Amino acid sequence: MAIRVTHVHGEHIAVEAANGTEILRYVYRPDPDAYEARKPYAHPLRTLGGRLVSGYRPSDHRWHKGLQMTASHLSGQNFWGGHSYVHGEGYLDLPDLIGSMRHDGFTEFTADEQQLAFTEELTWVENGGGEWARETRGVRVHSVDEAAGAWALDWSIRLTNLRDVPLAFGSPTTAGRELAGYTGLHWRGPRDFTGGVAFAPEGEGAEKLMGTRSAWLAYTGEHDDVDGHSTLVFEHGPDGDAAHHWFVRAEPIPTVSFSWAFFEEFELPPGESFAYRYRVVFADGAWDRERVAGHLAGLTWT
């Protein structure tokens, strides 16, 4: 199925399928509210059938916006947004700890009827204005398959420490809260996906899969406004060292993160970088393990 790409400079990039459905909108203009940790995000996200599969500024967490690259605990700063978890005190409103990710420009941008691919340069800025890290982000929309009822989004990150001291990456769990290891690439689902089904190659149920590792994890939800389900499949890149732990909940909210610091902090020394690749497949219908595995086997990495 062919796609059509529209770029409103300084605002967003939109991808529309041949059937007229806007399947992705990548927004890179700065958010108005610093408390929500200004950074680019992908929302709305839709299946080829037009089903909305992302949430935006839900009442429980206004800083959740579709699909975002995040860091909940980074050397004392919060690049996630909203309240900050402090051991022994719980969640506190600490606006002076909230950082942002500044869009610096696109270094590569290609689009045709088969795919969209761009490279974006960003700077991670701490609350006081210090430039802590430089990110090179790759986003690719591809494999828009009408017969399969699915399309794929690849998201890569290469992050370099600009400071003269190490950057320490953690999560609420590394700070003392049990099973709250959210950080990294984060998806917030729409409200009607609450209570959905999460499953992996081995195991099913968000509670059972929380904090586990696997090559992929799928989440299926049932829509309110139509008679039907949609499935999202989250897959780690082909690099073996990129298999992070899953942060996944179906209750009280639908959410999945590729958590790079679930149980343990890690440090990025001055001048050094890390790089990860991820894939998310957006599909119409309630897929099972066999269909997920077969579809992923038919996709390639570039």
Side-chain angles (χ1 to χ4, degrees):
M1 178 182 284
I3 63 171
R4 178 174 179 268
V5 177
T6 303
H7 186 184
V8 180
H9 292 272
E11 296 279 336
H12 68 263
I13 300 162
V15 180
E16 183 180 292
N19 62 5
T21 297
E22 183 184 288
I23 57 176
L24 171 142
R25 179 168 292 205
Y26 183 84
V27 181
Y28 64 91
R29 69 173 181 273
D31 277 351
D33 192 342
Y35 187 70
E36 296 174 10
R38 297 181 176 117
K39 54 188 174 292
Y41 59 88
H43 173 85
L45 292 160
R46 295 186 180 90
T47 66
L48 293 179
R51 313 311 185 204
L52 181 67
V53 290
S54 59
Y56 177 77
R57 298 193 74 246
S59 58
D60 50 82
H61 298 80
R62 294 297 188 195
W63 45 96
H64 287 185
K65 297 171 184 176
L67 187 67
Q68 293 182 294
M69 183 60 67
T70 64
S72 57
H73 287 62
L74 176 54
S75 296
Q77 290 274 300
N78 172 2
F79 287 81
W80 176 276
H83 44 229
S84 301
Y85 182 79
V86 179
H87 184 56
E89 300 182 66
Y91 283 102
L92 304 175
D93 290 333
L94 301 172
D96 290 345
L97 298 186
I98 297 178
S100 62
M101 299 178 193
R102 185 185 70 218
H103 166 81
D104 293 330
F106 297 106
T107 54
E108 296 181 16
F109 195 105
T110 59
D112 55 35
E113 291 188 349
Q114 301 303 314
Q115 69 170 358
L116 161 72
F118 62 79
T119 302
E120 181 184 16
E121 298 294 333
L122 304 102
T123 301
W124 292 34
V125 183
E126 58 89 23
N127 188 267
E131 297 184 353
W132 277 14
R134 178 158 295 121
E135 178 189 347
T136 299
R137 175 177 302 179
V139 174
R140 177 175 172 246
V141 175
H142 63 99
S143 303
V144 182
D145 188 337
E146 184 177 16
W151 64 277
L153 172 67
D154 292 358
W155 189 307
S156 68
I157 176 175
R158 182 176 182 82
L159 194 73
T160 302
N161 183 0
L162 300 179
R163 305 183 73 191
D164 57 5
V165 296
L167 285 173
F169 292 81
S171 68
T173 293
T174 67
R177 187 187 174 203
E178 186 179 359
L179 296 180
Y182 52 82
T183 193
L185 186 63
H186 168 247
W187 166 77
R188 172 60 191 259
R191 185 75 63 185
D192 52 5
F193 271 35
T194 304
V197 177
F199 61 94
E202 296 181 1
E204 181 175 310
E207 291 186 0
K208 291 182 179 180
L209 295 173
M210 175 70 88
T212 65
R213 295 184 188 219
S214 58
W216 57 262
L217 180 146
Y219 191 106
T220 295
E222 184 174 10
H223 296 282
D224 281 340
D225 55 337
V226 294
D227 294 328
H229 296 73
S230 294
T231 301
L232 280 77
V233 184
F234 303 87
E235 183 186 23
H236 288 101
D239 306 317
D241 61 351
H244 308 314
H245 295 89
W246 297 113
F247 174 83
V248 52
R249 283 181 177 154
E251 300 278 358
I253 62 173
T255 185
V256 175
S257 296
F258 296 85
S259 179
W260 53 37
F262 196 110
F263 295 108
E264 297 179 353
E265 284 192 353
F266 72 90
E267 290 190 345
L268 183 64
E272 294 196 12
S273 306
F274 66 72
Y276 301 121
R277 288 190 286 174
Y278 310 102
R279 172 169 290 160
V280 185
V281 174
F282 303 87
D284 286 299
W287 286 18
D288 58 18
R289 283 189 183 85
E290 183 178 3
R291 188 168 183 184
V292 169
H295 189 81
L296 293 179
L299 302 179
T300 59
W301 293 87
T302 61

